[in-house]
Amino acid sequence: MSTILTIAQGVYQRLMKSRILYVIVVFCLFAIAYSTLYSAVTAGEETKLMKDIGLAGIAVAAMLISIMVGSTAIPKEIESRTIQTLIAKPVRKYEFILGQFLGAVYVALLSIAIMAVGFIIILAIKTHALNLVMFKPLILVCFEAIVLVAVSVLFSTFCSSMVSSILAVVVYIAGHLSYQIPFLVERAGNVVTKFVGLLLYYVLPNFQYFNVKAPAAHGICIPWGLIFGVILYGAIYTAIMLLVSVAIFKNKDFA
Amino acid sequence: MLAIKTEHLAKIYKTGGKETKAIQDLNLEVSPNQIYGFLGPNGAGKTTTINMLLGLAAPTTGTAWILEKQIGDIEIKQKIGFLPQSPYFYESFSSVELLNFYGKIFKIPRKERYKKIEELLDMVGLTDSRKIPLRKFSRGMLQRIGIAQTLINDPDLVFFDEPIAGLDPVGRKEVMDTILNIKRQGRTVFFSSHVLHDAETLCDSIGILDKGKLIVSGKLKDLLDPKESLEEYFLKLIEKKRGEKT
């Protein structure tokens, strides 16, 4: 376990020196702060609009950061050949994958935490109340980010960072639309189309499960049972992604 | 005890239906406490062999033992150091951060780790550059921090892949002195090179590889005539072997 944590710490140290992360986080905080000005012209809806924009902004920034850190960590090690020195040391390939994953997750969660704290503070200033109800959608944004990092890591075990980033974005978009697949399958006449549709439905992550932003912004109470159910789904999906990543990486040469 | 032993080691790459035999039937024995030069022209298979020994590439057939343990056993890696060809390190790290990171990989306790880092930086003459990011290092400095990281775990066996290629005369001399120093500490050094003059100065034993085949291996003093240089011997041998094939 200590080898995995050492590798994760190394990934974290390197990623935190990347300026693009700070740009995304600062841009997101700026967007949330800006929404307070915009909400001033929408009488009666100010708080709801702020919550909407804030949560959506954090979700989009979390998506960008997760894909960026998840897709680049492993290809960068391979392309820069730093992996040769590392794998020649007492590091098992699964430890390498899990270390890269944990380091990337840590950076993604830290960025989300900074944005979330900024959001809660701005919201508190505006509403003169601590909106703790916002934590539930933010928890799910964190778990969506973890799943997305795992998906990006999987692609990055056999693709360049650019290709894995593109594939991860495609999966993110498809994952937010996949809940519609069963309705489309019902209407499809062709057996092959039905089969492919159902296959995609089960293989793709259902990111809509993680999206409780709208009800939260409307002040609807989201039950903890639902939150834990989605967390469990995210944990299982992440574990599967990592198992496949390790299996792919196991037989890879680094010559 | 042998430091390295290979048995019928082979690596075949398949690209687009075409087979390339990078290494063929390699049977090698390297005794401990010496400098072994693994020599050969470019593309002979030196790096491929080192990669297989270190678990960076899987052999197609055959196997090998390092310090009496079969390759693939993670325990071996506790006792070896490795400097890759044209070493690349995390360029945002400083020398201290890099050595600390690798020291942690070997689970060296914190106090001992920092003591070792200071010793190694002093040994390779990088104490004053300890906090400079590696991206600002010259080629020679990178090679020196590369050598330092090979020794962080006090290895019994050190692999150097083309350690003197591309260095200026001063850099070459520094690296060669360090390699000799490593041997004096009772370690085994296995290094690949195509710079024969320097190899002759350094090596106790050599193995010559050509087109993936080991054509000779033995003690340097037994292989060379008293008035013959390693370069003359090498060229004569390669020509002879290639002539035999045609």
Side-chain angles (χ1 to χ4, degrees):
Chain A
M1 189 64 187
S2 73
T3 306
I4 295 170
L5 293 179
T6 302
I7 294 170
Q9 201 180 12
V11 173
Y12 162 75
Q13 273 179 282
R14 293 193 299 280
L15 284 172
M16 290 312 280
K17 290 179 183 177
S18 157
R19 283 182 198 143
I20 185 83
L21 271 177
Y22 298 101
V23 171
I24 296 172
V25 171
V26 170
F27 184 77
C28 178
L29 287 173
F30 180 77
I32 295 166
Y34 184 73
S35 72
T36 61
L37 299 175
Y38 183 71
S39 58
V41 294
T42 52
E45 296 283 303
E46 299 98 331
T47 313
K48 193 187 95 40
L49 193 73
M50 251 193 86
K51 287 175 183 173
D52 260 345
I53 293 176
L55 287 173
I58 292 173
V60 170
M63 180 267 287
L64 290 176
I65 292 169
S66 306
I67 290 176
M68 193 185 79
V69 296
S71 301
T72 54
I74 294 173
K76 215 168 180 182
E77 292 260 14
I78 296 171
E79 286 156 20
S80 66
R81 296 200 217 162
T82 47
I83 195 169
Q84 291 189 343
T85 321
L86 192 54
I87 294 288
K89 292 184 167 41
V91 174
R92 293 172 179 90
K93 286 179 181 170
Y94 80 85
E95 291 174 324
F96 176 79
I97 292 282
L98 294 182
Q100 299 290 335
F101 166 74
L102 281 183
V105 162
Y106 186 58
V107 172
L109 294 187
L110 188 66
S111 311
I112 295 170
I114 293 168
M115 292 185 287
V117 169
F119 171 56
I120 297 287
I121 291 171
I122 293 168
L123 202 58
I125 293 168
K126 185 78 184 168
T127 60
H128 306 291
L130 201 57
N131 289 266
L132 292 176
V133 71
M134 287 292 108
F135 279 111
K136 284 179 181 172
L138 286 170
I139 289 170
L140 293 191
V141 168
C142 290
F143 276 87
E144 185 181 59
I146 293 172
V147 174
L148 205 49
V149 171
V151 170
S152 308
V153 164
L154 168 63
F155 288 135
S156 74
T157 55
F158 58 91
C159 292
S160 69
S161 51
M162 179 63 83
V163 176
S164 33
S165 300
I166 294 167
L167 290 174
V169 170
V170 170
V171 167
Y172 179 79
I173 296 166
H176 272 285
L177 300 173
S178 67
Y179 72 97
Q180 293 178 339
I181 292 176
F183 305 112
L184 297 172
V185 163
E186 261 180 40
R187 291 179 187 181
N190 191 324
V191 181
V192 179
T193 314
K194 276 188 177 178
F195 174 76
V196 172
L198 284 174
L199 188 71
L200 281 173
Y201 179 69
Y202 288 112
V203 170
L204 285 169
N206 191 333
F207 282 130
Q208 273 309 101
Y209 289 156
F210 299 85
N211 187 4
V212 292
K213 292 184 277 293
H218 281 88
I220 299 166
C221 180
I222 300 147
W224 278 108
L226 178 82
I227 303 285
F228 287 126
V230 175
I231 289 173
L232 184 66
Y233 169 77
I236 293 170
Y237 199 91
T238 301
I240 293 169
M241 292 293 103
L242 292 175
L243 281 173
V244 178
S245 304
V246 169
I248 292 171
F249 210 68
K250 204 175 152 194
N251 298 317
K252 224 171 157 75
D253 281 359
F254 305 105
Chain B
M1 184 182 108
L2 287 169
I4 300 169
K5 184 182 179 195
T6 70
E7 257 182 27
H8 309 294
L9 201 65
K11 182 73 182 176
I12 299 166
Y13 290 106
K14 286 177 188 168
T15 39
K18 194 186 161 196
E19 276 192 356
T20 308
K21 290 176 180 171
I23 290 294
Q24 302 175 57
D25 198 32
L26 180 69
N27 294 296
L28 185 71
E29 290 191 350
V30 178
S31 305
N33 308 322
Q34 60 160 339
I35 300 178
Y36 187 94
F38 199 47
L39 314 174
N42 289 332
K46 305 185 291 290
T47 299
T48 305
T49 305
I50 292 177
N51 285 341
M52 285 193 283
L53 292 173
L54 294 170
L56 298 172
T60 308
T61 56
T63 190
W65 291 262
I66 292 179
L67 305 167
E68 306 279 286
K69 284 190 175 169
Q70 196 161 19
I71 52 167
D73 184 341
I74 200 94
E75 287 300 308
I76 310 167
K77 294 184 177 179
Q78 286 287 353
K79 294 178 180 175
I80 59 177
F82 171 51
L83 177 70
Q85 190 176 6
S86 312
Y88 295 91
F89 300 112
Y90 306 112
E91 53 179 28
S92 61
F93 277 10
S94 67
S95 310
V96 175
E97 284 173 329
L98 185 82
L99 295 179
N100 189 39
F101 174 68
Y102 288 137
K104 279 190 194 168
I105 292 285
F106 283 105
K107 300 180 176 67
I108 303 168
R110 187 185 162 87
K111 204 176 167 186
E112 195 185 319
R113 197 167 68 229
Y114 277 99
K115 190 171 167 253
K116 187 79 189 165
I117 289 170
E118 291 309 319
E119 282 172 17
L120 289 171
L121 287 177
D122 185 47
M123 187 193 96
V124 296
L126 290 173
T127 308
D128 294 339
S129 319
R130 49 190 296 130
K131 288 189 177 169
I132 298 173
L134 300 183
R135 79 168 75 86
K136 294 186 177 170
F137 272 26
S138 67
R139 177 79 209 275
M141 287 164 89
L142 279 176
Q143 202 74 345
R144 282 188 276 155
I145 192 65
I147 290 173
Q149 65 81 27
T150 64
L151 301 175
I152 189 79
N153 56 323
D154 274 322
D156 294 335
L157 170 63
V158 188
F159 290 87
F160 289 114
D161 193 1
E162 300 279 5
I164 41 189
L167 294 178
D168 60 32
V170 177
R172 279 217 315 271
K173 168 91 171 56
E174 282 171 354
V175 171
M176 283 165 66
D177 287 346
T178 310
I179 291 174
L180 283 170
N181 197 24
I182 293 169
K183 185 207 158 186
R184 273 187 223 112
Q185 292 166 352
R187 309 178 209 271
T188 309
V189 176
F190 183 92
F191 89 98
S192 77
S193 183
H194 61 266
V195 185
L196 298 175
H197 177 264
D198 294 337
E200 189 174 359
T201 317
L202 282 175
C203 297
D204 301 298
S205 300
I206 57 160
I208 296 178
L209 201 65
D210 185 38
K211 295 183 176 174
K213 285 185 176 172
L214 185 71
I215 50 180
V216 74
S217 180
K219 285 193 183 305
L220 199 58
K221 62 176 186 197
D222 297 338
L223 295 173
L224 300 190
D225 289 335
K227 286 181 182 175
E228 192 181 32
S229 72
L230 177 59
E231 191 156 344
E232 286 166 338
Y233 173 78
F234 178 87
L235 291 172
K236 200 170 72 185
L237 191 72
I238 296 280
E239 269 173 33
K240 188 180 161 198
K241 287 288 168 185
R242 288 186 182 176
E244 276 173 13
K245 281 175 203 165
T246 54

Short mmCIF file of all heavy atoms in Angstrom, two decimals, chain A residues 178-191 193-198 201:
data_model
loop_
_atom_site.label_atom_id
_atom_site.label_comp_id
_atom_site.label_asym_id
_atom_site.label_seq_id
_atom_site.Cartn_x
_atom_site.Cartn_y
_atom_site.Cartn_z
N SER A 178 -27.20 8.31 -21.58
CA SER A 178 -27.48 6.87 -21.69
C SER A 178 -28.81 6.46 -21.06
O SER A 178 -29.37 5.42 -21.42
CB SER A 178 -26.34 6.07 -21.07
OG SER A 178 -26.30 6.27 -19.69
N TYR A 179 -29.33 7.27 -20.15
CA TYR A 179 -30.61 6.89 -19.51
C TYR A 179 -31.75 6.87 -20.53
O TYR A 179 -32.80 6.28 -20.31
CB TYR A 179 -30.93 7.86 -18.36
CG TYR A 179 -31.36 9.24 -18.80
CD1 TYR A 179 -32.71 9.58 -18.89
CD2 TYR A 179 -30.41 10.21 -19.15
CE1 TYR A 179 -33.08 10.85 -19.31
CE2 TYR A 179 -30.79 11.46 -19.56
CZ TYR A 179 -32.13 11.78 -19.64
OH TYR A 179 -32.52 13.03 -20.06
N GLN A 180 -31.53 7.51 -21.71
CA GLN A 180 -32.57 7.54 -22.74
C GLN A 180 -32.54 6.30 -23.63
O GLN A 180 -33.47 6.08 -24.42
CB GLN A 180 -32.40 8.79 -23.61
CG GLN A 180 -32.68 10.07 -22.82
CD GLN A 180 -32.47 11.31 -23.66
OE1 GLN A 180 -31.76 11.27 -24.65
NE2 GLN A 180 -33.09 12.40 -23.26
N ILE A 181 -31.44 5.53 -23.52
CA ILE A 181 -31.27 4.38 -24.43
C ILE A 181 -32.45 3.39 -24.34
O ILE A 181 -32.98 2.97 -25.37
CB ILE A 181 -29.91 3.68 -24.19
CG1 ILE A 181 -28.77 4.60 -24.65
CG2 ILE A 181 -29.84 2.35 -24.94
CD1 ILE A 181 -27.37 4.07 -24.38
N PRO A 182 -32.93 2.98 -23.13
CA PRO A 182 -34.03 2.02 -23.08
C PRO A 182 -35.27 2.48 -23.86
O PRO A 182 -35.93 1.66 -24.51
CB PRO A 182 -34.34 1.92 -21.58
CG PRO A 182 -33.08 2.29 -20.91
CD PRO A 182 -32.44 3.30 -21.78
N PHE A 183 -35.56 3.79 -23.84
CA PHE A 183 -36.72 4.29 -24.59
C PHE A 183 -36.49 4.14 -26.09
O PHE A 183 -37.39 3.79 -26.84
CB PHE A 183 -36.97 5.77 -24.26
CG PHE A 183 -37.13 6.02 -22.79
CD1 PHE A 183 -36.18 6.74 -22.08
CD2 PHE A 183 -38.22 5.51 -22.09
CE1 PHE A 183 -36.30 6.96 -20.73
CE2 PHE A 183 -38.35 5.72 -20.72
CZ PHE A 183 -37.39 6.45 -20.04
N LEU A 184 -35.25 4.40 -26.52
CA LEU A 184 -34.92 4.29 -27.94
C LEU A 184 -34.94 2.83 -28.38
O LEU A 184 -35.40 2.49 -29.47
CB LEU A 184 -33.54 4.91 -28.23
CG LEU A 184 -33.42 6.41 -27.95
CD1 LEU A 184 -31.97 6.86 -28.07
CD2 LEU A 184 -34.29 7.20 -28.92
N VAL A 185 -34.44 1.95 -27.49
CA VAL A 185 -34.39 0.51 -27.81
C VAL A 185 -35.81 -0.04 -28.00
O VAL A 185 -36.06 -0.85 -28.89
CB VAL A 185 -33.63 -0.25 -26.69
CG1 VAL A 185 -33.89 -1.75 -26.75
CG2 VAL A 185 -32.13 0.01 -26.80
N GLU A 186 -36.72 0.42 -27.17
CA GLU A 186 -38.12 -0.04 -27.27
C GLU A 186 -38.72 0.23 -28.65
O GLU A 186 -39.47 -0.57 -29.18
CB GLU A 186 -38.97 0.69 -26.22
CG GLU A 186 -39.21 -0.12 -24.97
CD GLU A 186 -40.06 0.64 -23.98
OE1 GLU A 186 -41.01 1.32 -24.39
OE2 GLU A 186 -39.74 0.55 -22.77
N ARG A 187 -38.32 1.36 -29.21
CA ARG A 187 -38.87 1.75 -30.51
C ARG A 187 -38.12 1.13 -31.69
O ARG A 187 -38.61 1.16 -32.81
CB ARG A 187 -38.83 3.27 -30.65
CG ARG A 187 -39.81 3.95 -29.71
CD ARG A 187 -39.74 5.44 -29.86
NE ARG A 187 -40.55 6.10 -28.85
CZ ARG A 187 -40.68 7.40 -28.76
NH1 ARG A 187 -40.09 8.19 -29.63
NH2 ARG A 187 -41.43 7.94 -27.82
N ALA A 188 -36.89 0.63 -31.42
CA ALA A 188 -36.08 0.09 -32.52
C ALA A 188 -36.65 -1.25 -32.99
O ALA A 188 -37.01 -2.10 -32.18
CB ALA A 188 -34.64 -0.10 -32.05
N GLY A 189 -36.71 -1.41 -34.31
CA GLY A 189 -37.25 -2.66 -34.86
C GLY A 189 -36.16 -3.70 -35.04
O GLY A 189 -36.39 -4.90 -34.88
N ASN A 190 -34.98 -3.25 -35.34
CA ASN A 190 -33.87 -4.13 -35.66
C ASN A 190 -33.29 -4.78 -34.39
O ASN A 190 -33.04 -4.10 -33.40
CB ASN A 190 -32.79 -3.27 -36.36
CG ASN A 190 -31.70 -4.11 -36.97
OD1 ASN A 190 -31.33 -5.13 -36.40
ND2 ASN A 190 -31.22 -3.68 -38.12
N VAL A 191 -33.06 -6.10 -34.44
CA VAL A 191 -32.53 -6.84 -33.28
C VAL A 191 -31.11 -6.39 -32.94
O VAL A 191 -30.76 -6.23 -31.78
CB VAL A 191 -32.54 -8.38 -33.57
CG1 VAL A 191 -32.03 -9.16 -32.35
CG2 VAL A 191 -33.92 -8.83 -33.94
N THR A 193 -29.72 -3.47 -33.56
CA THR A 193 -29.77 -2.13 -32.96
C THR A 193 -30.16 -2.25 -31.49
O THR A 193 -29.58 -1.57 -30.63
CB THR A 193 -30.80 -1.24 -33.70
OG1 THR A 193 -30.59 -1.39 -35.09
CG2 THR A 193 -30.68 0.21 -33.30
N LYS A 194 -31.14 -3.12 -31.21
CA LYS A 194 -31.57 -3.32 -29.82
C LYS A 194 -30.43 -3.84 -28.96
O LYS A 194 -30.19 -3.37 -27.85
CB LYS A 194 -32.73 -4.34 -29.77
CG LYS A 194 -34.07 -3.70 -30.04
CD LYS A 194 -35.19 -4.70 -29.80
CE LYS A 194 -36.51 -3.98 -30.00
NZ LYS A 194 -37.66 -4.82 -29.84
N PHE A 195 -29.69 -4.83 -29.55
CA PHE A 195 -28.59 -5.45 -28.80
C PHE A 195 -27.49 -4.42 -28.51
O PHE A 195 -27.02 -4.29 -27.38
CB PHE A 195 -28.01 -6.63 -29.60
CG PHE A 195 -26.78 -7.23 -28.96
CD1 PHE A 195 -26.90 -8.05 -27.85
CD2 PHE A 195 -25.51 -6.96 -29.46
CE1 PHE A 195 -25.78 -8.59 -27.24
CE2 PHE A 195 -24.38 -7.48 -28.86
CZ PHE A 195 -24.52 -8.32 -27.75
N VAL A 196 -27.11 -3.67 -29.56
CA VAL A 196 -26.05 -2.65 -29.39
C VAL A 196 -26.51 -1.60 -28.38
O VAL A 196 -25.73 -1.18 -27.51
CB VAL A 196 -25.68 -2.01 -30.76
CG1 VAL A 196 -24.72 -0.83 -30.56
CG2 VAL A 196 -25.05 -3.04 -31.68
N GLY A 197 -27.76 -1.19 -28.50
CA GLY A 197 -28.31 -0.18 -27.58
C GLY A 197 -28.24 -0.64 -26.14
O GLY A 197 -27.76 0.09 -25.26
N LEU A 198 -28.68 -1.89 -25.90
CA LEU A 198 -28.66 -2.40 -24.52
C LEU A 198 -27.23 -2.59 -24.01
O LEU A 198 -26.93 -2.33 -22.85
CB LEU A 198 -29.42 -3.73 -24.45
CG LEU A 198 -30.95 -3.58 -24.48
CD1 LEU A 198 -31.64 -4.93 -24.55
CD2 LEU A 198 -31.46 -2.80 -23.26
N TYR A 201 -25.98 0.67 -23.01
CA TYR A 201 -26.67 1.09 -21.78
C TYR A 201 -26.00 0.50 -20.54
O TYR A 201 -25.81 1.17 -19.54
CB TYR A 201 -28.14 0.66 -21.84
CG TYR A 201 -28.92 1.05 -20.61
CD1 TYR A 201 -29.19 2.38 -20.33
CD2 TYR A 201 -29.38 0.08 -19.72
CE1 TYR A 201 -29.90 2.75 -19.19
CE2 TYR A 201 -30.09 0.43 -18.58
CZ TYR A 201 -30.35 1.77 -18.32
OH TYR A 201 -31.04 2.13 -17.20
#
